[in-house]
Amino acid sequence: MKFEMPASIPMSLQSGPFRVADALAAGLSERWLRGPGLSVPTRGVRSWSVPETLLDRARSFATGVVGDFAFSHITAAQLLGIPLSYSVEDDPRLHIIRPTTANRVRRDGVAGHRGLELREVVMVHGLPVVAAPDTWVDLGELVGPLKPVGLDDLVVAGDVIVNRLGSRRPLKAALERRCRPRGKVTLSHALIWVRVGSRSPMETRTRLMLVRAGLPEPGLNQHVISRDGLWLAWSDFVWKRKRVVGEFNGREFHSGAEQEAYDEARRLGLVDDDWIVIVVVRDDVFESAARDAKLREFAVALGVDPSGLDLIGAAPQFLAPRQFAPPRRPRAA
């Protein structure tokens, strides 16, 4: 049977996904709505094309929802731009939360949750999304021996959120509002390590490596000023009293002849002013031999006895111990 376009389609149905009920009310036929020219992203919704991006899929789903809801958990983190581990990023489902008194959403491609009334909701791209502090607490549900989120993942996410908000207090408040949330032990431990100042996930992971090993806690992303009062650089990790700076060099930002020339000129400017510059790359964090060598290099530069480093504790961590204590007081730099 030949597929034919209706003679007239209301403008309200032409700009994006639309409800089947609205199309029928506008006089379009059920046969046309079942035809091959339309995509069916979710029950009761039609789209002019197959939604491919997360935002398109979320908008299509939101078109057909009845009642209060918000995007939550992994979907909220993705819409808010909160970095997640690769295993979590691969989750194709939309995570939807509704009030406790409502039924969970049960549809293909959807993970339903309840408890909307306990969470703050913000609008992102015109969609209701659980706010970042509450989303951070929700990620604690994904922590466990066989689950995709670990302790350091929560610290990375927490750093991104507190950089936007300027304080750890919103994370602490969101955690305290919940009554025994899943993952509370790991969330509480992660909050101890969250800091304002890291600009990337790998900067956070590098800081964790350094401080867990027993090195002094650095200043994060600070200006470096020469003895003559001139600006020299903006550095990832700064120990001003020891005149030591650390830099994480990711391939995506520090490759290419022009960038390499800039980095070298910057390094020489620091060295000429008697600063020690130590560069960290990804393998220095995740590969044990490279990590041990890099930590010893930092220890020597900072005047710390390398034999006293906690090389095992400096490794990336997944779960917090069931009974934990706050981290040792950072050494004075």
Side-chain angles (χ1 to χ4, degrees), residues 201-211 237 248 280 285:
M202 284 307 303
E203 285 185 18
T204 294
R205 294 181 190 277
T206 300
R207 172 177 60 82
L208 293 175
M209 173 188 79
L210 295 168
V211 179
F237 311 103
F248 180 82
V280 180
V285 178

Side-chain angles (χ1 to χ4, degrees), residues 200-264:
S200 73
M202 284 307 303
E203 285 185 18
T204 294
R205 294 181 190 277
T206 300
R207 172 177 60 82
L208 293 175
M209 173 188 79
L210 295 168
V211 179
R212 285 170 177 165
L215 294 171
E217 185 151 355
L220 301 176
N221 286 292
Q222 294 185 348
H223 296 289
V224 181
I225 307 300
S226 74
R227 296 186 192 276
D228 298 330
L230 300 176
W231 183 87
L232 293 174
W234 175 272
S235 292
D236 299 338
F237 311 103
V238 181
W239 294 265
K240 291 184 179 179
R241 290 176 55 193
K242 296 295 184 179
R243 300 187 73 77
V244 175
V245 298
E247 295 289 339
F248 180 82
N249 279 9
R251 295 175 183 173
E252 63 273 29
F253 297 113
H254 294 272
S255 60
E258 184 176 348
Q259 182 63 47
E260 290 173 1
Y262 173 82
D263 289 342
E264 180 62 11

Side-chain angles (χ1 to χ4, degrees), residues 152-172:
D152 290 358
D153 297 322
L154 292 175
V155 180
V156 167
D159 274 8
V160 170
I161 295 168
V162 301
N163 278 341
R164 295 176 184 175
L165 302 179
S167 168
R168 292 189 299 176
R169 288 191 294 272
L171 294 187
K172 185 174 185 291

Side-chain angles (χ1 to χ4, degrees), residues 70-74 76 80 97-98 100 113-121 129-142 154 161 169-185 187-188:
F71 293 99
S72 67
H73 295 75
I74 295 171
L80 291 164
I97 192 165
R98 300 187 69 189
T100 302
H113 308 270
R114 295 191 298 176
L116 177 61
E117 71 279 1
L118 301 176
R119 292 153 172 84
E120 180 186 358
V121 175
V129 177
V130 172
D134 281 312
T135 291
W136 182 76
V137 177
D138 286 337
L139 293 177
E141 298 180 19
L142 306 177
L154 292 175
I161 295 168
R169 288 191 294 272
L171 294 187
K172 185 174 185 291
L175 184 57
E176 290 175 346
R177 283 197 302 269
R178 303 286 184 88
C179 179
R180 293 181 296 176
R182 283 180 283 176
K184 183 176 182 179
V185 168
L187 285 163
S188 299

Side-chain angles (χ1 to χ4, degrees), residues 43-54:
R43 186 171 64 246
V45 175
R46 297 294 185 269
S47 175
W48 297 100
S49 61
V50 177
E52 295 183 353
T53 68
L54 172 67

